[in-house]
Amino acid sequence: QSALTQPASVSGSPGQSITISCTGTNSDFGGYNYVSWYQQHPGKAPKLMIYEVSNRPSGISNRFSGSKSGNTASLTISGLQAEDEADYYCSSYTNNRGVLFGGGTKLTVL
Amino acid sequence: QVQLQESGPGLVKPSHTLSLTCTVSGDSINSGNYYWSWIRQHPGKGLEWIGYIYYTGSTYYNPSLKSRITMSVDTSKNQVSLKLSSVTAADTAVYFCARVPGGDRFDCWGQGTLVTVSS
């Protein structure tokens, strides 16, 4: 059982927006804004999409955005495209437990 | 462009030690700019962080695996290594190495290597 809770699946049609939540406790987020999001296509390594809650690495589309309110972090993907269909994982950093991952969310583009 | 490549046996017997190596190219481990990490993914499941190592040899392990993990670095070969002792079938997973620019994120990953624990 993962420390961070994500919905098992979400879906949306091309062009729509979807949001994936990532819920934990105060200790799961360690009091930091160290939340990251990863995209993983089948058989591939994860890819960093968002770090420190809302920052995008170079080369990541601005269709991907992140936020955090209280003990819930969120990843929003706007203008859904077929290539966005993948598994998405959130993660957080804590001083005493290191890096925690969510259980993952399967995004289906209808 | 940095590349990471995991290598090691794909099959390990129960109670034995799993040993993997991550070779880094396009970046120098002893630049001190990054930590280096191992992460695993059980078949069809989510991700599990195993630990970090710095080029100095300083480590930070997942508390749940700490008693069985040893990570090391060979700066002359630009490699980091993972040893996981007393393995069981529950350690069957794809093992990834990754670069860590800050303790909170993994910005570059290897392709991963599947390790199966079976007699």
Side-chain angles (χ1 to χ4, degrees), chain A residues 10-20 63-65 75-81 84 107:
Chain A
V10 298
S11 63
S13 299
Q16 288 185 333
S17 295
I18 62 96
T19 296
I20 300 172
R63 297 187 300 106
F64 292 84
S65 62
L75 172 71
T76 298
I77 308 174
S78 59
L80 268 181
Q81 300 178 0
D84 299 331
L107 169 62

Side-chain angles (χ1 to χ4, degrees), chain A residues 34 36 38 40 45-46 48 51-52 89 91 93-99 101 103, chain B residues 39 41 45-49 52 60 62-63 96 103-107 109-111:
Chain A
Y34 288 152
S36 299
Y38 299 88
Q40 186 179 33
L48 179 65
Y51 67 96
E52 291 175 4
Y89 294 91
S91 74
Y93 173 81
T94 69
N95 273 336
N96 57 355
R97 287 186 287 163
V99 176
F101 284 102
Chain B
I39 298 130
Q41 185 169 33
K45 302 295 184 182
L47 301 166
E48 180 180 27
W49 172 71
Y52 297 135
Y60 182 17
N62 184 327
F96 296 97
D104 63 302
R105 64 190 184 269
F106 311 100
D107 71 339
W109 297 62
Q111 66 185 24

